Amino acid sequence: MLFHVEMDVNIPLGFDAEEAARLKAAEKARFQELQRAGTWRHIWRVVGQYANVSIFDVGSNAELHDILMSLPLYPFMTIRVTALCRHPSSLHDDR
Amino acid sequence: MLFHVEMDVNIPLGFDAEEAARLKAAEKARFQELQRAGTWRHIWRVVGQYANVSIFDVGSNAELHDILMSLPLYPFMTIRVTALCRHPSSLHDDR
Amino acid sequence: MLFHVEMDVNIPLGFDAEEAARLKAAEKARFQELQRAGTWRHIWRVVGQYANVSIFDVGSNAELHDILMSLPLYPFMTIRVTALCRHPSSLHDDR
Amino acid sequence: MLFHVEMDVNIPLGFDAEEAARLKAAEKARFQELQRAGTWRHIWRVVGQYANVSIFDVGSNAELHDILMSLPLYPFMTIRVTALCRHPSSLHDDR
Amino acid sequence: MLFHVEMDVNIPLGFDAEEAARLKAAEKARFQELQRAGTWRHIWRVVGQYANVSIFDVGSNAELHDILMSLPLYPFMTIRVTALCRHPSSLHDDR
Amino acid sequence: MLFHVEMDVNIPLGFDAEEAARLKAAEKARFQELQRAGTWRHIWRVVGQYANVSIFDVGSNAELHDILMSLPLYPFMTIRVTALCRHPSSLHDDR
Amino acid sequence: MLFHVEMDVNIPLGFDAEEAARLKAAEKARFQELQRAGTWRHIWRVVGQYANVSIFDVGSNAELHDILMSLPLYPFMTIRVTALCRHPSSLHDDR
Amino acid sequence: MLFHVEMDVNIPLGFDAEEAARLKAAEKARFQELQRAGTWRHIWRVVGQYANVSIFDVGSNAELHDILMSLPLYPFMTIRVTALCRHPSSLHDDR
Amino acid sequence: MLFHVEMDVNIPLGFDAEEAARLKAAEKARFQELQRAGTWRHIWRVVGQYANVSIFDVGSNAELHDILMSLPLYPFMTIRVTALCRHPSSLHDDR
Amino acid sequence: MLFHVEMDVNIPLGFDAEEAARLKAAEKARFQELQRAGTWRHIWRVVGQYANVSIFDVGSNAELHDILMSLPLYPFMTIRVTALCRHPSSLHDDR
């Protein structure tokens, strides 16, 4: 089941640089784990923003919620979730 | 080069049903042609809306503009375009 | 899987009254069928509006989309969908 | 009498963790007390947000106001209240 | 129980003048009936707008809904409802 | 001359509690003085908000401005002012 | 007593040209009458818009309301009213 | 050449009171200098706000920009600029 | 003197195609006349929209207003005007 | 390939003045380097704002993203990016 998730990241000016680096590394590791598992199916940078557009493939709403809430950078994110489904015109199973 | 395109379709109440069917069939044919060509890389329905979220892969801004303006349902669409690029954490070339 | 759905209904001034009555009766019948099935779990009127707030319990995003798109009054509705999940503090399985 | 209440919770970065834990425990206890009393009839998490959608069943506007203002996490909440009533099509007394 | 209700009236250009006059007269009669009954406690014109701000005193949400939906000019109105309660500093029972 | 005034109060987290209590007491005293004088004609709490909706009866715009700017809690308020006038349908001089 | 009034004029495409010309002439005559009387103290065109920004000097809210509602182009206008007062730093009585 | 300028002033809670007083005095002096020169043609307080609406008469966009950027309270202001021109119906050269 | 002008064009569905073609040709001719004169210094299409972003170089606000109001497609346009000036860091006179 | 970029700069009150001066000098140097290279084709100040409107000419979305993210003042900027293309009516290659 697919969801469109937009994440804007805002780390405040003056936030401890080492802690920020640690959180970003943890975020990247967690992201790659979910990408390898096929859960975080797509991710793109939004040009000019510290933000991404992503597609998640999960078994339930609850699974998506748990994944998002436990992201290392979650406390710095503004998140918008949109439920998606297969488009009837598509020639393949667009995931 | 990737772009995120949101399309909301609004065919007015009372619009001629046959003409609408003709336009939708033309839209579908054009979409599948672009999907086969790899230009219209992804398309998803937004749940509860006559709307889609799409990812285009084009050679230039002008190519994207020409594609969108010539869609059969373009006169009924509200369109939002967002420029994307590859995310640095991604393990593969996310297209 | 639960979704929060807001529906605003707007039948234009001067729309044929008989056709409107027919559509409303069909909408009511369809609603009650889904309510009996446990799919349309809750519905409330918003005070002062021709609008409702509803909770749907469906197996997938696609199921919700198909239900909403086939509602008899769908062409007159503005719809907002929000994915929900169980609240961790709740004493029971809030559906 | 039913009200739809949306609560977004925003505890600032760097807020004392122990105090936050204490407030969350107090909030949970108060919530469960109201849930058992049938006042806080429904609560759902909004996917991807530290936010909930709730349905309250109260005797008056004033009762709802007093309940909301005395929630332990109230100072961290943004709240939206919408008055509801029974939907005429519903087969049961939807509370 | 008090509610703050804002009503913007928009009768389209070209709407039949006689029918409009009839509806306005019916609206005024209904308003005065509710004003005499103490239900429509206050009404004020918003300067420069075909709009009013009103205070209703009703026994329940449902009573308010039924009153608003049956106003002769309801089909031409945009309505916003806000639940109120007595202010703790007030020296009298502000209705 | 009547004005509709909405006041949202936002005292920041961590603001000195004693100073806040002193300001609230001063606000209440000033409010009651104006209420007794018939200037601050109505006040209601907005359910779920630290906010009020008020009706002022003043001799001029300048008088209203001076009253609002000198409220003890003014530095914590967001204020919206709307000019009102008597509604032509009203049976009495609605103040 | 001064008010800042913004007026956006929108005459629909296809509206009878002769009737529009008649209404514009009536509007201009009424404006000049009020300008001569010192009531409509200032008027400016907003660059690129069929809109104006105006300053009215009236004895009461009700007088302003009556003036605005009886403008020949009122049915085509969107109006925003803001109450003003003399600025304490001003060297003269800015009207 | 005329411009409509709205200035909202927001001096944060806890800002040094002496420095604020010094900046306000400097702002007033600069304002009066520009008012005497005929550049800052009009200024009005917005009722209930620490804000003004002003009309500037300048030789160019650049002159207006330089004036606004060098105002002593500029760092505390939110500014909106609208280009104006003479209204064709006006009986005099409305400046 | 430079201005940033955004123009969104919206020709309604069902508008006479021949008249639309005539207006577009007139718009193009007028645009090229102003481009040759150096008044309409830049124009760009916004990707995916029937809209443009333009830079005008005019002698006064009034000149810009007269140009915009007399564009053949003006009745179909939504226009936003922003006053610009030379950037202090620029190496050349950016027009 | 052209992009329209709006940059609003907001350096917080109380930010270290020397560090701000250093960052502004670095921003200016980087801007002029990109201007000389023809990448940052145009820049204008928005009147009354610490903000600019710019036109970039880049080979790809990714190139634009990398340029914007590495601007010395990027952490203080709010950025909006709009993809542009050549306007069909233009007499020259408007860059």
Side-chain angles (χ1 to χ4, degrees):
Chain A
M1 225 168 50
L2 299 176
F3 288 89
H4 181 269
V5 181
E6 297 163 275
M7 305 179 193
D8 298 347
V9 185
N10 180 23
I11 299 179
L13 286 171
F15 188 83
D16 180 67
E18 232 168 289
E19 175 66 0
R22 201 188 58 73
L23 287 166
K24 287 179 188 177
E27 178 80 21
K28 183 176 177 177
R30 177 65 175 140
F31 160 72
Q32 292 183 342
E33 181 183 10
L34 289 162
Q35 192 182 38
R36 275 192 207 95
T39 305
W40 199 320
R41 294 202 68 86
H42 299 285
I43 189 169
W44 299 282
R45 266 276 173 254
V46 179
V47 171
Q49 314 293 336
Y50 188 178
N52 70 67
V53 171
S54 292
I55 305 292
F56 282 81
D57 188 352
V58 291
S60 70
N61 290 353
E63 183 187 344
L64 179 60
H65 185 68
D66 292 345
I67 287 170
L68 294 175
M69 298 301 279
S70 62
L71 291 176
L73 288 175
Y74 180 80
F76 305 91
M77 287 179 174
T78 302
I79 287 184
R80 286 177 299 288
V81 171
T82 309
L84 301 178
C85 54
R86 197 179 170 280
H87 195 284
S89 300
S90 187
L91 295 168
H92 47 76
D93 199 47
D94 213 325
R95 297 192 303 177
Chain B
M1 224 169 51
L2 300 176
F3 289 89
H4 180 270
V5 182
E6 297 162 276
M7 305 179 192
D8 299 348
V9 185
N10 180 23
I11 299 179
L13 287 171
F15 189 83
D16 180 68
E18 232 168 288
E19 174 66 0
R22 202 189 56 72
L23 286 166
K24 287 178 188 178
E27 179 79 21
K28 183 176 177 176
R30 178 62 175 142
F31 159 72
Q32 292 183 343
E33 180 182 12
L34 289 162
Q35 192 182 37
R36 274 192 207 94
T39 305
W40 199 321
R41 294 203 68 85
H42 300 285
I43 188 169
W44 299 282
R45 267 275 175 253
V46 179
V47 171
Q49 314 292 337
Y50 189 178
N52 70 67
V53 171
S54 293
I55 305 292
F56 282 81
D57 188 351
V58 292
S60 70
N61 290 353
E63 184 188 344
L64 179 60
H65 186 68
D66 293 345
I67 287 170
L68 295 174
M69 298 301 279
S70 61
L71 291 176
L73 287 175
Y74 180 81
F76 304 91
M77 285 179 177
T78 303
I79 288 184
R80 287 176 299 288
V81 172
T82 309
L84 300 178
C85 55
R86 196 179 170 281
H87 195 284
S89 301
S90 187
L91 294 169
H92 48 75
D93 200 45
D94 213 327
R95 297 193 302 176
Chain C
M1 224 169 52
L2 300 176
F3 288 89
H4 181 268
V5 181
E6 298 162 276
M7 306 180 191
D8 299 347
V9 184
N10 179 24
I11 300 179
L13 287 171
F15 188 83
D16 180 68
E18 234 169 288
E19 174 66 0
R22 202 189 57 72
L23 287 166
K24 286 178 189 178
E27 178 80 20
K28 183 176 176 176
R30 177 63 175 141
F31 160 72
Q32 292 183 343
E33 181 183 11
L34 288 162
Q35 192 183 36
R36 275 193 207 94
T39 305
W40 198 322
R41 294 202 68 83
H42 299 285
I43 188 169
W44 299 282
R45 266 277 175 254
V46 179
V47 171
Q49 314 292 336
Y50 190 179
N52 70 67
V53 171
S54 293
I55 306 291
F56 282 81
D57 187 353
V58 292
S60 70
N61 290 353
E63 184 188 344
L64 179 60
H65 186 68
D66 293 346
I67 288 170
L68 295 174
M69 298 302 278
S70 62
L71 292 177
L73 287 175
Y74 181 81
F76 305 91
M77 286 179 176
T78 303
I79 287 184
R80 289 177 297 289
V81 171
T82 309
L84 299 178
C85 54
R86 195 178 170 283
H87 195 284
S89 301
S90 187
L91 294 169
H92 49 75
D93 200 45
D94 213 327
R95 298 192 301 178
Chain D
M1 225 168 52
L2 299 176
F3 288 89
H4 181 269
V5 181
E6 298 162 276
M7 305 179 192
D8 298 347
V9 185
N10 180 22
I11 299 179
L13 285 171
F15 188 83
D16 180 68
E18 233 168 289
E19 175 66 0
R22 201 188 58 73
L23 287 166
K24 286 178 188 179
E27 179 80 19
K28 183 176 178 177
R30 178 65 175 141
F31 160 71
Q32 292 182 341
E33 181 183 11
L34 289 162
Q35 192 183 36
R36 275 193 207 97
T39 305
W40 198 322
R41 294 203 69 86
H42 299 286
I43 189 169
W44 299 281
R45 266 276 174 255
V46 179
V47 171
Q49 314 292 335
Y50 189 178
N52 69 68
V53 171
S54 293
I55 305 292
F56 282 81
D57 188 351
V58 292
S60 70
N61 290 352
E63 183 187 344
L64 180 60
H65 185 67
D66 293 345
I67 287 170
L68 295 174
M69 297 301 279
S70 61
L71 292 176
L73 287 175
Y74 181 81
F76 305 91
M77 286 179 175
T78 303
I79 288 184
R80 286 177 299 289
V81 172
T82 309
L84 300 177
C85 54
R86 196 177 170 281
H87 195 283
S89 301
S90 187
L91 294 169
H92 49 74
D93 200 46
D94 213 325
R95 297 193 302 177
Chain E
M1 225 168 54
L2 301 175
F3 289 89
H4 181 269
V5 181
E6 298 163 276
M7 305 180 191
D8 299 347
V9 185
N10 180 24
I11 299 179
L13 287 171
F15 188 83
D16 180 67
E18 233 169 288
E19 173 68 359
R22 202 189 57 73
L23 287 166
K24 286 178 189 179
E27 178 79 20
K28 184 176 175 175
R30 177 66 175 138
F31 160 72
Q32 292 182 343
E33 181 183 10
L34 289 162
Q35 192 183 36
R36 276 193 206 94
T39 304
W40 198 322
R41 294 203 68 85
H42 299 284
I43 188 169
W44 299 281
R45 266 275 175 258
V46 179
V47 171
Q49 313 293 336
Y50 190 178
N52 69 69
V53 171
S54 292
I55 306 291
F56 282 81
D57 188 352
V58 291
S60 69
N61 290 352
E63 183 188 344
L64 180 60
H65 186 67
D66 292 345
I67 288 170
L68 295 174
M69 298 301 279
S70 61
L71 291 177
L73 287 175
Y74 181 80
F76 305 91
M77 286 179 175
T78 303
I79 287 184
R80 287 178 298 290
V81 171
T82 309
L84 300 179
C85 54
R86 195 179 171 281
H87 195 282
S89 300
S90 188
L91 294 169
H92 49 74
D93 200 45
D94 214 326
R95 298 192 301 178
Chain F
M1 225 167 53
L2 300 176
F3 288 89
H4 181 270
V5 181
E6 298 163 275
M7 305 179 192
D8 299 347
V9 185
N10 180 22
I11 299 179
L13 286 171
F15 188 83
D16 179 67
E18 231 168 290
E19 176 65 1
R22 202 188 58 73
L23 287 167
K24 286 177 188 179
E27 180 79 20
K28 183 177 176 175
R30 178 63 175 141
F31 160 72
Q32 292 183 341
E33 180 182 12
L34 290 162
Q35 192 184 35
R36 276 192 207 97
T39 305
W40 199 321
R41 293 203 68 85
H42 299 285
I43 189 168
W44 298 282
R45 266 277 174 254
V46 179
V47 171
Q49 313 292 335
Y50 189 0
N52 69 70
V53 171
S54 293
I55 306 291
F56 282 81
D57 188 350
V58 292
S60 70
N61 290 353
E63 184 188 342
L64 179 60
H65 185 68
D66 292 345
I67 287 170
L68 295 175
M69 298 300 280
S70 61
L71 291 177
L73 288 175
Y74 180 81
F76 306 90
M77 286 179 175
T78 302
I79 287 184
R80 287 178 299 289
V81 172
T82 309
L84 300 178
C85 54
R86 196 178 170 282
H87 195 282
S89 300
S90 186
L91 294 169
H92 49 74
D93 200 45
D94 213 326
R95 296 193 302 178
Chain G
M1 224 168 54
L2 301 175
F3 289 89
H4 180 270
V5 181
E6 299 163 275
M7 304 180 192
D8 298 348
V9 185
N10 180 23
I11 298 179
L13 286 171
F15 188 84
D16 179 68
E18 232 169 288
E19 174 66 0
R22 202 189 57 73
L23 286 167
K24 287 178 188 177
E27 178 80 19
K28 183 176 176 176
R30 178 63 176 142
F31 159 72
Q32 292 182 344
E33 181 182 9
L34 289 162
Q35 191 182 38
R36 276 193 206 95
T39 305
W40 199 321
R41 294 203 70 85
H42 299 286
I43 189 168
W44 298 281
R45 266 276 175 256
V46 179
V47 171
Q49 313 293 335
Y50 189 178
N52 69 68
V53 171
S54 292
I55 305 291
F56 282 80
D57 188 352
V58 292
S60 70
N61 290 353
E63 184 188 344
L64 180 60
H65 186 67
D66 293 345
I67 287 170
L68 295 174
M69 298 300 280
S70 61
L71 291 176
L73 288 175
Y74 181 81
F76 306 91
M77 286 179 176
T78 303
I79 288 185
R80 286 178 298 289
V81 171
T82 309
L84 300 178
C85 55
R86 195 179 170 280
H87 194 284
S89 300
S90 186
L91 294 169
H92 48 75
D93 199 45
D94 213 325
R95 299 192 302 176
Chain H
M1 225 168 52
L2 300 176
F3 288 89
H4 181 270
V5 181
E6 298 162 276
M7 304 180 192
D8 299 347
V9 185
N10 181 23
I11 300 179
L13 285 171
F15 188 83
D16 179 68
E18 232 168 288
E19 175 65 1
R22 202 189 57 73
L23 287 166
K24 286 177 188 180
E27 179 79 20
K28 183 177 176 175
R30 178 64 175 139
F31 160 71
Q32 292 183 342
E33 181 182 11
L34 290 162
Q35 191 182 37
R36 275 192 207 96
T39 305
W40 199 322
R41 293 202 70 85
H42 299 285
I43 188 169
W44 298 283
R45 267 276 175 254
V46 178
V47 171
Q49 314 291 336
Y50 189 178
N52 70 68
V53 171
S54 293
I55 305 291
F56 282 80
D57 188 351
V58 293
S60 69
N61 290 353
E63 184 188 343
L64 179 60
H65 186 68
D66 293 345
I67 287 171
L68 294 175
M69 299 300 279
S70 62
L71 291 177
L73 287 176
Y74 181 81
F76 305 90
M77 286 179 176
T78 303
I79 287 183
R80 289 178 297 288
V81 171
T82 309
L84 300 178
C85 55
R86 195 178 170 282
H87 194 283
S89 300
S90 187
L91 294 169
H92 49 74
D93 200 45
D94 214 325
R95 298 193 302 180
Chain I
M1 224 168 52
L2 300 176
F3 289 89
H4 181 269
V5 181
E6 297 162 275
M7 304 179 192
D8 299 348
V9 185
N10 180 23
I11 299 179
L13 286 171
F15 188 83
D16 180 68
E18 231 168 289
E19 174 66 0
R22 201 190 57 72
L23 286 166
K24 287 179 188 177
E27 178 79 20
K28 182 176 177 176
R30 178 62 176 142
F31 159 72
Q32 292 182 343
E33 181 183 10
L34 289 161
Q35 191 182 39
R36 276 192 206 94
T39 305
W40 199 321
R41 295 203 68 86
H42 300 285
I43 189 169
W44 299 281
R45 267 274 175 257
V46 179
V47 170
Q49 314 292 335
Y50 189 0
N52 70 68
V53 171
S54 292
I55 306 291
F56 282 80
D57 187 353
V58 292
S60 69
N61 290 353
E63 184 187 345
L64 179 59
H65 185 68
D66 292 345
I67 287 170
L68 295 174
M69 297 301 279
S70 61
L71 291 176
L73 287 175
Y74 180 81
F76 305 91
M77 286 179 176
T78 303
I79 287 184
R80 288 177 298 288
V81 171
T82 308
L84 300 178
C85 54
R86 196 179 171 280
H87 195 284
S89 300
S90 186
L91 294 169
H92 48 75
D93 201 45
D94 213 326
R95 298 192 303 176
Chain J
M1 226 168 49
L2 299 176
F3 289 89
H4 181 269
V5 182
E6 298 162 276
M7 304 179 192
D8 299 348
V9 184
N10 180 23
I11 299 179
L13 286 171
F15 189 83
D16 180 68
E18 232 169 289
E19 174 66 359
R22 201 189 59 72
L23 286 166
K24 286 178 189 179
E27 178 80 19
K28 183 176 176 176
R30 177 64 175 140
F31 160 72
Q32 292 183 342
E33 181 183 11
L34 290 162
Q35 191 183 38
R36 275 193 207 95
T39 305
W40 198 323
R41 294 202 68 85
H42 300 286
I43 189 169
W44 299 281
R45 267 276 174 254
V46 179
V47 171
Q49 314 292 337
Y50 189 0
N52 70 67
V53 171
S54 292
I55 306 291
F56 282 80
D57 188 352
V58 292
S60 70
N61 289 354
E63 183 188 343
L64 179 60
H65 186 68
D66 292 346
I67 287 171
L68 294 174
M69 297 301 278
S70 61
L71 291 177
L73 287 175
Y74 181 81
F76 305 91
M77 287 179 176
T78 302
I79 287 184
R80 288 178 298 288
V81 171
T82 309
L84 300 177
C85 55
R86 197 178 169 282
H87 194 283
S89 300
S90 187
L91 294 168
H92 48 76
D93 200 46
D94 213 326
R95 296 192 303 179

